[in-house]
């Protein structure tokens, strides 16, 4: 089931930096490409509407985000959520966590920074340069998490699990921090790509019996799908090509929401099968009745990066006078059904 390939960055020089040698293990089903184009679209949900305004214009008209003072306080891509902007963000968090609780996920709140020696086992090497914020404290070095997946992985370090406790389904809500190095000028307006954001992450620890590991991964993708179906957002599922996979990924699917004001699909979910690559790096083991003879597999998926999801919501639910609140979120918003555009804009 494995194919030995190199991916779309300079793998040789990167590995030399950390004095390690390895090849990427990638599923035969993954399209092989040396750039980030031509990934495979495998499914679409709902008809694509076309509306006038982008999320940047709509949020300005609704007066739910303050980008000017955000720039003043935190620099480029800084922001303040304001009024109903905060209500909508919290509604998405509450709805997402309640949904995953019905799917038997154990809810977590995790540390927002990790020790360097732990983070090195949870991420690929290029992330230290392109994504992670470094925090030197005295003689120690810490890194802010870019996703709750990293914090959940830290729990697995040198840990042993009973096979009877698996699969273990976890979800974690956290604030995340990303440099977004290399994305200068890309999605620089609004909340779509920011340095600080809230995210709900799904994480499954399982064992590598063929039927079970594939079943759990497919169910993970389906759970993410159903969440967006309940909100009634148009989306497509894309199988990512080899240039989009990091050093822990065996196969990855993205869910891309339709942005009608921008007239394009954009990623809102990344769902990855890591096989035993993370667990091997973290020295995690499964104890069976006989011995430690069973490989551990990990799967992870975004449920919602809430600021990014807010952008998709306001574009898809806009009408002439304002924005409708999706039915599934109204009970978390004091039963508000509609948000009117500010008359002064």
């Amino acid at each position: 089931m494995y194919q030995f390939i190199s991916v779309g960055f300079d793998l040789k020089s990167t590995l030399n930096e950390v004095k390690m040698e390895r090849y990427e293990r990638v599923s035969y089903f993954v399209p092989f490409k040396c750039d980030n184009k031509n990934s495979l679209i495998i499914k679409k949900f709902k008809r694509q509407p076309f509306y006038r305004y982008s999320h940047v214009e709509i949020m300005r008209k609704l007066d739910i985000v303050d980008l000017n003072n955000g720039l003043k306080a935190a620099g480029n891509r800084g922001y303040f959520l304001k009024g109903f902007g905060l209500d909508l963000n919290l509604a998405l968090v509450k709805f997402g966590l309640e949904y995953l609780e019905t799917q038997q996920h154990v809810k977590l709140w995790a540390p927002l920074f990790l020790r360097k020696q732990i983070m090195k086992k949870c991420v690929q090497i290029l992330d230290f340069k392109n994504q992670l914020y470094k925090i030197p404290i005295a003689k120690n070095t810490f890194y802010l998490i870019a996703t709750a997946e990293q914090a959940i992985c830290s729990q697995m370090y040198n840990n042993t699990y009973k096979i009877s406790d698996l699969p273990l389904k976890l979800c974690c809500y956290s604030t995340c921090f990303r440099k977004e190095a290399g994305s200068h000028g890309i999605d620089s307006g609004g909340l779509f790509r920011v340095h600080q954001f809230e995210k709900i992450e799904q994480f499954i620890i399982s064992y590598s019996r063929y039927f079970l590991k594939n079943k759990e991964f497919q169910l993970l993708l389906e759970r993410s799908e159903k969440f967006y179906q309940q909100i009634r957002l148009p989306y497509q599922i894309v199988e990512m090509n080899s240039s989009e996979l990091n050093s822990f990924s065996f196969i990855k699917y993205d869910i891309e929401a339709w942005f009608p004001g921008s007239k394009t699909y954009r990623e809102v979910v990344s769902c990855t099968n890591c096989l035993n690559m993370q667990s091997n790096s973290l020295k995690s083991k499964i104890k069976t009745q006989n011995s430690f003879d069973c490989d551990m597999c990990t799967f992870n998926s975004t449920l919602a990066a809430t600021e990014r999801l807010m952008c998709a919501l306001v574009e898809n639910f806009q009408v002439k006078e304002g924005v409708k609140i999706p039915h599934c979120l109204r009970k978390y918003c004091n039963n508000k059904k509609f948000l009117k555009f500010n008359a002064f804009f």
Side-chain angles (χ1 to χ4, degrees):
M1 290 293 293
Y2 304 137
Q3 181 183 13
F4 294 96
I5 65 169
S6 60
V7 291
F9 56 85
D10 188 356
L11 184 61
K12 184 177 179 180
S13 62
T14 303
L15 296 185
N16 285 339
E17 286 180 18
V18 293
K19 298 180 181 179
M20 63 184 290
E21 294 180 0
R22 64 169 293 175
Y23 290 94
E24 309 306 313
R25 296 191 298 174
V26 178
S27 168
Y28 278 120
F29 297 104
V30 172
F32 175 61
K33 294 289 177 182
C34 294
D35 55 40
N36 59 4
K37 299 178 181 179
N38 301 319
S39 293
L40 182 64
I41 298 171
I42 61 174
K43 183 178 180 180
K44 287 182 180 283
F45 174 75
K46 280 196 73 181
R47 181 178 60 86
Q48 304 169 358
F50 290 90
Y51 295 123
R52 179 178 178 182
Y53 297 118
S54 72
H55 59 91
V56 180
E57 297 168 302
I58 294 170
M59 289 185 178
R60 180 176 58 83
K61 287 173 174 287
L62 295 175
D63 196 24
I64 61 174
V65 63
D66 186 345
L67 298 175
N68 290 332
N69 281 321
L71 177 64
K72 192 186 303 181
N76 187 36
R77 302 183 193 271
Y79 64 94
F80 285 90
L81 292 180
K82 183 179 176 184
F84 188 76
L86 179 58
D87 294 338
L88 182 57
N89 189 61
L90 293 175
L92 288 168
V93 171
K94 291 176 183 176
F95 175 57
L97 290 175
E98 284 186 13
Y99 168 72
L100 288 180
E101 194 170 20
T102 66
Q103 305 297 313
Q104 289 75 55
H105 281 253
V106 178
K107 295 183 291 185
L108 299 174
W109 170 260
L112 299 184
F113 56 89
L114 300 179
R115 293 182 297 143
K116 180 179 180 179
Q117 54 266 47
I118 296 295
M119 186 66 87
K120 284 171 66 176
K121 298 180 181 297
C122 300
V123 303
Q124 64 176 355
I125 303 306
L126 289 181
D127 284 345
F128 282 96
K129 179 180 179 181
N130 296 336
Q131 296 291 357
L132 300 178
Y133 285 104
K134 183 178 179 180
I135 310 175
I137 302 177
K139 295 182 180 180
N140 299 310
T141 302
F142 300 88
Y143 287 89
L144 293 173
I145 62 171
T147 168
E149 173 198 344
Q150 295 157 359
I152 299 173
C153 278
S154 70
Q155 288 188 330
M156 298 171 59
Y157 181 57
N158 272 339
N159 211 345
T160 300
Y161 295 83
K162 294 180 181 178
I163 198 167
S164 58
D165 294 334
L166 303 180
L168 178 59
K169 297 193 290 186
L170 305 170
C171 68
C172 186
Y173 161 62
S174 70
T175 303
C176 302
F177 306 88
R178 293 187 184 178
K179 288 181 181 178
E180 297 292 355
S183 61
H184 179 72
I186 301 174
D187 297 317
S188 57
L191 301 183
F192 185 83
R193 192 181 300 275
V194 289
H195 294 304
Q196 175 187 325
F197 57 96
E198 280 68 52
K199 187 181 179 189
I200 302 173
E201 184 79 10
Q202 306 168 79
F203 196 92
I204 296 179
I205 304 171
S206 189
Y207 52 93
S208 59
R209 291 181 183 169
Y210 183 81
F211 174 76
L212 178 65
K213 70 184 180 183
N214 284 281
K215 175 186 174 184
E216 288 297 336
F217 181 58
Q218 288 303 125
L219 289 174
L220 182 63
L221 181 61
E222 288 175 14
R223 276 192 288 275
S224 299
E225 267 198 272
K226 288 177 182 176
F227 177 75
Y228 288 88
Q229 289 172 4
Q230 289 184 52
I231 299 175
R232 304 298 297 169
L233 276 180
Y235 66 81
Q236 65 182 16
I237 299 179
V238 179
E239 183 179 355
M240 305 309 293
N241 69 55
S242 56
S243 70
E244 294 288 327
L245 304 187
N246 67 25
S247 56
F248 290 120
S249 302
F250 178 67
I251 190 169
K252 182 170 80 166
Y253 296 98
D254 279 2
I255 296 178
E256 298 178 343
W258 174 247
F259 282 69
S262 311
K263 299 177 179 58
T264 189
Y265 283 98
R266 290 178 168 174
E267 177 216 330
V268 290
V269 168
S270 182
C271 184
T272 307
N273 182 343
C274 296
L275 286 187
N276 62 349
M277 288 177 264
Q278 281 181 327
S279 58
N280 286 347
S281 175
L282 293 160
K283 300 179 182 179
S284 301
K285 298 178 181 178
I286 297 177
K287 187 175 182 179
T288 63
Q289 291 181 345
N290 301 321
S291 62
F292 298 94
D293 59 357
C294 186
D295 275 340
M296 181 184 296
C297 290
T298 58
F299 319 116
N300 63 79
S301 177
T302 315
L303 183 74
T306 54
E307 283 80 3
R308 182 170 290 197
L309 183 50
M310 285 170 60
C311 297
L313 284 177
V314 297
E315 284 201 20
N316 280 278
F317 288 88
Q318 64 177 292
V319 292
K320 185 176 181 181
E321 299 83 12
V323 173
K324 295 179 180 178
I325 309 302
H327 286 275
C328 62
L329 298 179
R330 290 177 184 177
K331 70 175 183 177
Y332 308 104
C333 301
N334 295 320
N335 293 313
K336 187 185 287 288
K337 298 180 180 179
F338 186 77
L339 196 61
K340 195 172 182 179
F341 286 143
N342 192 319
F344 295 103
F345 287 97

